[in-house]
Amino acid sequence: MDNVRSIGTEFYGDYNDGGYDKILFPCLKSLELVRMQNLVERMDAMEPTTTGMVFPCLKNLSISTCEQLESAPCHFPSLEEFDISQTKSTTFEKISSKLTTLTSLHISGISELASLPEQLLKNNSSLMYLNIWFCDDLVSLSPHGDVWGFYTSLRSLQISNCKKLSYLPDGLHTLRSLENFEDLHSLSFLTITSCKRLMGLPDGLDYLTRLKSLTIGGFCEELDSFPSLSSIQPASLETLELYGWAKLNSLPADIQRFTALTQLWIRNFDQMEALPEWLGKFSSVRYLYLRECKNLMYLPTAEAMQHLIYLHIFFLPQINGKMWKGKRRRVAQNCPYSKYLSPLKTD
C-alpha cells in the first residue's frame, strides 16, 4: 500500500461507541505491516484517559520495510514475538517502551540504533530468543552496562553484520539458559570456564576463523576426558589456556593441531602424572605455564623442550621439590632444563 501515509483511529472502528470499557480486536493474534513505503503515522486507539483494552490477545507483531514510519502504538499487553526491520530507531523505541511479555525479538536494519532500549531490556524477563542483524549503527547491546531482565530465560543470542559493534556486556556469563551464541566471525578472544554442568562445546566454533586466544575448561567433573577441540580453527590460535578438573589424567590430544601456538597454559589437571612427549612437537610454543597440577611428576625430555624461552611453574609439588632448593628457590645445578629456563618465573 505505497500511497498510505497514515493509519488513523478509523482503523479501530468507532471505539467510543459503547464507552471506554470497549475491548478492541479482542481475538486478533497476529498483525503485520509490510512494505508500506510512505507510511508515516499509525495512530493509537487509546488516549491516556481511557480504560478500555486494545489487542488483548495479540501474540505476534511484524513491522517490515516501513522506513518513513515515525509514530506507532505501544499498547500490546500480551505480545510474545516482535519482528521489526527496515524502520527508524525512534519508532522501534516507542513500540517497545511498554512491552513486558516478549519471548522472541528479531531486529534487522534499524537505522541509528546505537543500543537496545533500556526499558526493553529491563522489563522482558521471559525473553528467550534475541536476534540482531544488519544494524550498522549498533555500538553495544545495552546503553548502561548489564541492565538485563532476562538473565535466567535467554536461550539464543545471535548478532550478525553489525559493523560498529564494539562492546559485549560482561554479564554474558550470567545467562544461565543460553544454548546458542555465535556468528561472530571476527571474534579474537573467547573464554568458556567454570561451567560445572557443561558436558561438551557448542556447535559453530568452526566459524571463529580469527580466534587468537582461547581459555577453556573447568567443566562437568563427571567427564573422564576433556571435550574435543576439533571444531576450533587451528591456523589463527596463538594462546591456549586449558583448565582441567580432578578426574583428568591427560591433555586433549587434538591440541596438537594448533601449530601456531606461542603460549600454552595448563592448569588443574590433578590426576596427570606426566606431560606427553608430543608436547615437544610444538616448535612454535615459546611460553609454557604449568599451574596447580598436583600429581604432575614428569616433564618431556630437555631436547623436546628446547624451543622454550620461558617456563612458569606454580604449585606442582611433585616437581617443585625436585627442582628448587633453599629458601631462595634457586634452580638446582643438576636440573636438565636449567639452560632453557631463562628468564624463569616461580611462585
Side-chain angles (χ1 to χ4, degrees), residues 74-289:
C74 57
H75 296 281
F76 302 103
S78 302
L79 194 66
E80 294 179 358
E81 182 171 344
F82 184 23
D83 191 335
I84 184 167
S85 62
Q86 302 298 318
T87 61
K88 296 181 178 180
S89 61
T90 52
T91 304
F92 169 53
E93 291 167 3
K94 177 174 174 57
I95 296 174
S96 63
S97 62
K98 296 183 180 180
L99 298 179
T100 60
T101 56
L102 284 183
T103 59
S104 180
L105 176 61
H106 306 271
I107 305 167
S108 176
I110 305 297
S111 61
E112 300 180 354
L113 182 68
S115 63
L116 300 187
E118 185 170 346
Q119 292 303 115
L120 174 70
L121 297 173
K122 282 184 176 180
N123 295 338
N124 290 273
S125 59
S126 298
L127 189 67
M128 292 187 289
Y129 305 97
L130 175 58
N131 300 330
I132 307 173
W133 303 319
F134 296 100
C135 291
D136 291 343
D137 298 311
L138 190 74
V139 176
S140 65
L141 296 185
S142 173
H144 301 110
D146 304 329
V147 290
W148 297 8
F150 43 82
Y151 286 112
T152 60
S153 63
L154 195 68
R155 297 181 181 178
S156 175
L157 174 60
Q158 296 188 21
I159 306 171
S160 179
N161 290 280
C162 297
K163 298 177 181 178
K164 294 183 180 179
L165 184 66
S166 58
Y167 172 73
L168 289 175
D170 295 332
L172 284 178
H173 69 280
T174 65
L175 300 176
R176 291 179 286 178
S177 300
L178 196 64
E179 298 172 354
N180 180 25
F181 179 68
E182 283 313 343
D183 281 343
L184 299 179
H185 298 283
S186 298
L187 193 70
S188 298
F189 301 88
L190 176 63
T191 298
I192 307 175
T193 60
S194 302
C195 303
K196 300 300 184 182
R197 297 184 181 181
L198 193 63
M199 302 290 289
L201 299 182
D203 296 331
L205 294 181
D206 52 326
Y207 289 105
L208 304 180
T209 56
R210 300 183 185 179
L211 192 66
K212 293 185 178 299
S213 176
L214 174 64
T215 301
I216 194 164
F219 301 149
C220 179
E221 297 197 357
E222 296 179 4
L223 293 174
D224 294 323
S225 61
F226 206 94
S228 173
L229 300 176
S230 60
S231 62
I232 304 293
Q233 293 288 340
S236 60
L237 197 66
E238 297 175 358
T239 299
L240 176 63
E241 188 166 355
L242 296 173
Y243 281 77
W245 51 90
K247 274 191 173 183
L248 295 189
N249 57 19
S250 63
L251 297 178
D254 50 9
I255 68 173
Q256 298 179 70
R257 301 168 49 251
F258 304 133
T259 55
L261 277 184
T262 58
Q263 297 190 47
L264 177 60
W265 298 68
I266 300 172
R267 298 169 175 253
N268 303 110
F269 284 75
D270 290 344
Q271 296 304 315
M272 184 170 63
E273 296 183 355
L275 290 180
E277 191 68 15
W278 54 253
L279 204 60
K281 295 180 181 180
F282 283 104
S283 58
S284 61
V285 174
R286 294 293 184 266
Y287 303 86
L288 178 60
Y289 302 81

Side-chain angles (χ1 to χ4, degrees), residues 319-326 328-339 341 344:
I319 289 180
N320 280 118
K322 298 177 181 179
M323 294 185 64
W324 311 108
K325 65 177 183 179
R328 297 183 63 186
R329 294 186 176 179
R330 293 180 177 177
V331 178
Q333 294 300 315
N334 61 349
C335 174
Y337 300 99
S338 58
K339 65 179 179 178
L341 303 182
L344 177 68

